[in-house]
Amino acid sequence: MEIGVVGLGRMGGNISRRLMKASHHCVVFDADEKPRVALAKEGATVVQSLEDLGETLKERPRAVWVMLPAGRITEETVERLGGLLEPNDIIIDGGNSFYKDDIRRAKKLAEKSIRYVDCGTSGGVWGIERGYCMMIGGPKEVIDHLDPIFAALAPGLGDITRTPGRAKGDPRAERGYIHAGPSGAGHFVKMVHNGIEYGLMQAYAEGFDILHNKDSKDLPDDERFVLNMPDIAEVWRRGSVISSWLLDLSAAALAKDAQLQNFSGFVQDSGEGRWTVEAAIEEAVPAEVLSTALYARFRSRQDHTFGEKILSAMRFGFGGHIEGSEPIAPETRTKKLQGRAASQNPAE
């Protein structure tokens, strides 16, 4: 298939590459020249503007995948594309937009008979090799039309043990992607996914913090242990019930530097954790762990612990997030996102 891709950062660029490896034709655009040049050398058709993108895409209906940070820059891009595309064309938002924004956009675009798909995308910088886990919302006929794109991006069956009793289930789930439901459902599922991610990461962080502080001078001498963190992380990867990819990333970071001196312990939150807690409040669902994990990230910007260095190491491991030691004011962060849309990672 032919598909347009807007935003060639750590996620969008690799999504284009994975699609091209599967023989799909990508017409790509980014405000930054550097990723455009790189993708052109790898076989993509590069355009200089959104207007050029619309004119260059020949296959009907046209489909454009937007992979930009959630917020104003995605909102403006979707709105502009809505003015450039024609009835039956498709806009896919693969970033981490708020699901209620998806519902609103889908209704607005439907007035022009333009179809809208929200695709929660997980995989980070490793997606080009491992594939992307996708949670997709939108009309069934549109999702079915785009299936070759989703199938190419997904991990596939791989070597994961198949779940007993799934023989009659939707085979797409086993391959790493699902049609979650109507507009907004994809990003809603991805939002909760990231909320859970916060909780899992916080559990590892707190555990390693307890281990790290076992040699505290405040403890009696016979109760003080100097524990080997890299070895503990490694042994937990081997047959333990708490083994996971997040633990793999922690073990890799500790193997390089047991004290994690290159990580500040300052931990950002990308939005989905807040939205998950807000949804829990709206639904009156207790979410103690996820709420606490979110508040722990807020606190990390004031007082950094070894546990928070573990959090930073995991975020860098899966998404390439480089975090500073000082909080960024919301208005400053918005300007940075708008000015550096091409280089930002829109998804955890």
Side-chain angles (χ1 to χ4, degrees), residues 3 15-24 26 149 152-153:
I3 188 167
I15 280 173
S16 302
R17 293 180 177 95
R18 189 170 174 91
L19 288 173
M20 289 190 293
K21 285 182 181 179
S23 299
H24 294 288
C26 292
I149 296 296
L153 291 173

Side-chain angles (χ1 to χ4, degrees), residues 18-341:
R18 189 170 174 91
L19 288 173
M20 289 190 293
K21 285 182 181 179
S23 299
H24 294 288
H25 178 219
C26 292
V27 180
V28 302
F29 169 70
D30 194 286
D32 187 354
E33 181 181 11
K34 186 176 179 180
R36 294 201 306 263
V37 171
L39 265 296
K41 291 179 180 178
E42 297 177 49
T45 298
V46 176
V47 295
Q48 305 302 311
S49 68
L50 292 179
E51 289 76 12
D52 290 344
L53 181 75
E55 294 175 2
T56 304
L57 289 167
K58 303 302 182 186
E59 191 174 299
R60 295 296 192 273
R62 291 173 291 185
V64 180
W65 185 299
V66 178
M67 204 65 186
L68 295 168
R72 189 194 306 180
I73 189 165
T74 292
E75 189 72 34
E76 292 176 349
T77 300
V78 170
E79 186 173 350
R80 286 183 61 192
L81 286 170
L84 295 170
L85 299 179
E86 300 170 350
N88 293 323
D89 287 344
I90 305 163
I91 298 174
I92 309 156
D93 178 6
N96 276 334
S97 290
F98 185 42
Y99 77 98
K100 291 184 181 180
D101 290 336
D102 293 314
I103 296 170
R104 172 179 49 78
R105 289 176 196 155
K107 290 178 180 178
K108 186 175 181 180
L109 290 168
E111 295 173 359
K112 302 178 182 180
S113 296
I114 295 174
R115 281 88 61 80
Y116 179 84
V117 171
D118 53 287
C119 180
T121 311
S122 181
V125 295
W126 298 92
I128 188 171
E129 299 172 4
R130 295 166 59 104
Y132 298 92
C133 172
M134 291 168 290
M135 297 134 271
I136 309 157
K140 181 182 183 303
E141 66 275 11
V142 180
I143 308 304
D144 290 346
H145 172 75
L146 294 170
D147 190 74
I149 296 296
F150 298 131
L153 291 173
L157 284 173
D159 57 1
I160 297 175
T161 302
R162 300 186 75 173
T163 302
R166 275 208 56 90
K168 296 181 180 180
D170 187 337
R172 293 175 295 184
E174 287 189 301
R175 299 188 194 119
Y177 66 109
I178 60 168
H179 180 197
S183 297
H187 277 150
F188 184 80
V189 175
K190 177 57 165 50
M191 176 190 80
V192 177
H193 163 284
N194 280 28
I196 293 170
E197 177 187 295
Y198 280 33
L200 292 172
M201 293 173 70
Q202 186 63 27
Y204 283 122
E206 291 177 10
F208 279 107
D209 214 11
I210 294 168
L211 295 169
H212 182 262
N213 286 287
K214 187 55 178 170
D215 66 346
S216 170
K217 293 180 180 179
D218 295 331
L219 296 172
D221 288 347
D222 61 351
E223 294 183 13
R224 291 174 59 189
F225 307 144
V226 178
L227 299 170
N228 187 309
M229 304 300 234
D231 281 0
I232 292 170
E234 188 62 32
V235 76
W236 282 352
R237 296 180 60 224
R238 310 290 174 172
S240 164
V241 296
I242 64 167
S243 59
S244 72
W245 185 33
L246 291 172
L247 182 59
D248 294 345
L249 297 172
S250 300
L254 288 166
K256 291 180 181 179
D257 175 12
Q259 298 303 317
L260 301 178
Q261 296 182 59
N262 290 328
F263 295 94
S264 69
F266 178 95
V267 187
Q268 279 287 6
D269 66 288
S270 55
E272 298 84 4
R274 300 188 190 206
W275 299 336
T276 302
V277 172
E278 289 173 3
I281 293 170
E282 290 177 358
E283 300 167 19
V285 173
E288 297 96 330
V289 172
L290 306 191
S291 300
T292 301
L294 173 64
Y295 291 132
R297 293 197 177 195
F298 295 163
R299 187 194 50 73
S300 77
R301 297 161 205 173
Q302 301 172 7
D303 178 29
H304 314 315
T305 67
F306 183 81
E308 268 118 32
K309 291 185 178 183
I310 287 283
L311 286 178
S312 290
M314 282 187 274
R315 279 173 55 80
F316 178 76
F318 65 69
H321 303 277
I322 300 173
E323 296 167 310
S325 59
E326 297 296 334
I328 301 174
E331 62 274 13
T332 303
R333 180 171 175 79
T334 298
K335 291 179 182 178
K336 285 179 177 290
L337 290 176
Q338 291 174 336
R340 298 170 53 212

